[in-house]
Amino acid sequence: MAKTTPNHTRSVSGWAALDSSGKITPYTFNRRENGVNDVTIKILYCGICHTDLHYAKNDWGITMYPVVPGHEITGIVVEVGSNVTYFKTGDKVGVGCMSASCLQCEFCKNSEENYCDKVQFTYNGVLWDGSITYGGYSNMLVADYRFVVAVPENLPMDRAAPLLCAGVTVFCPMKDNNLIGSPRQNIGVIGLGGLGHLAIKFSKAFGHHVTVISTSLSKENEAKTKLGADDFIVSTNAEQMKSRHRTLDFILDTVSANHSLGPYLELLKVKGTFVIVGAPDKPMDLPSFPLIFGKRTVKGSMIGSIKETQEMLDICGKYNIMCDIEIVTPDRINEAYDRIEKNDIKYRFVIDIAGQSSKI
C-alpha cells in the first residue's frame, strides 16, 4: 500500500516489512523534496522499539505495507528549508514518534500535540499530501522542523537514539507528577527493560529512592549495582510484597505483558499515584478495593510533546543520562527482533544505519 505524491522524488535506501511475516528486507522508496518547513537528515542511528515488531507483524491490524519502521532516530542535518531558523546544516538532531499534527487544536496550541486527534506518526501514518510515512530504518529522512529536536553535544548519537521514545515515555510521567526538583520520594519501577532501566536513571538523577519490582530475582544485582536502585522486590514473593505495603509514593508500570494491577497498588501509600506506560494487548485487571481504600490514582501516559522531548534531552545532557544499548547492523535486524521477543537484550538495540559506528 505504498503511496507517494509527485514531489516524492528523492530515492532512499531502507529496510521494510512487506507482509505480516514481519521479516525485514532491503527496500528502496522515495521521500519528498525538502520543503520550506523541512529539514533533511542523514540518519546515523535508529533504535528498535517493541512497537516496531508489532507494526512489522500487523499485531494491531493497522499496518500499511510495506512498512519502514523506526521512531528513535538520530542524525545530522544536511539541508534546511527557507522557513527554518532553529536548525542549520551540521546540527545533531533527533526525530521521535511524531511527524505531523493539526497544529490548531487545543492540544497542539498547548504543546501537547502527542494527544492531537490528527497526530501522524513517523511511520505508518498519513501526511497532509496523502503519502504514507516511512521511518528511521533508512539512510535519509525529510522532517517538518517542528517535529525535530536538538541532541545535546555531549550525548553520543547511538545511545541518545532510544531516548526519543523510551526516554520521553518515562520522563513525562515524572514531570507531570512533580518529581523533578521535588523533595526525595519513594519511587517504584515495575519491569527492568528498555523503559525500566531509563526510569531508574531519571529517578536517581532527580534524587529519589528507587525500588525495582520484577518477576526475575536474577535482575536484582544489576538493578542495584549497575543502575543504582535502592531496593528490589520480587513480585511473585508474597512476603516481600507484603513487607513493602504502603511504602511507595509513585509507581511507574513499564511492563507490556498481561498482569493484574491489584498487588502493585497495595505498595502505594494512601493518595499514591500509579502510571501505566507499558501497553499489554489485553485488558488489565484493576480491582476496585485497592483504589477505594487507598484513595489512589491510576492513569496512563503516552510519549511526550516535542517541547517535552527537548526538555528531556537537555536534562539527559545535564545529568549524562543515556540508554544502555547493543549496536546491530541493518542485516541483523531480524535477529534483533527474535531476541527482543525472547527478552534477550540489555536494554535496547540500536541500528547503525550509516554503517560507521560513528563516535558522534
Side-chain angles (χ1 to χ4, degrees), residues 219-239:
K219 294 183 178 181
E220 180 174 8
N221 183 61
E222 181 156 6
K224 290 182 175 179
T225 60
K226 183 177 180 181
L227 297 173
D230 302 285
D231 195 9
F232 190 94
I233 302 173
V234 179
S235 59
T236 54
N237 186 316
E239 184 175 328

Side-chain angles (χ1 to χ4, degrees), residues 28-39:
T28 300
F29 60 98
N30 290 342
R31 292 201 189 276
R32 69 179 182 270
E33 292 296 323
N34 198 85
V36 294
N37 293 317
D38 290 333
V39 295

Side-chain angles (χ1 to χ4, degrees), residues 137-150:
Y137 292 15
S138 56
N139 61 13
M140 182 267 279
L141 176 69
V142 180
D144 186 315
Y145 79 94
R146 291 164 289 197
F147 294 88
V148 178
V149 289

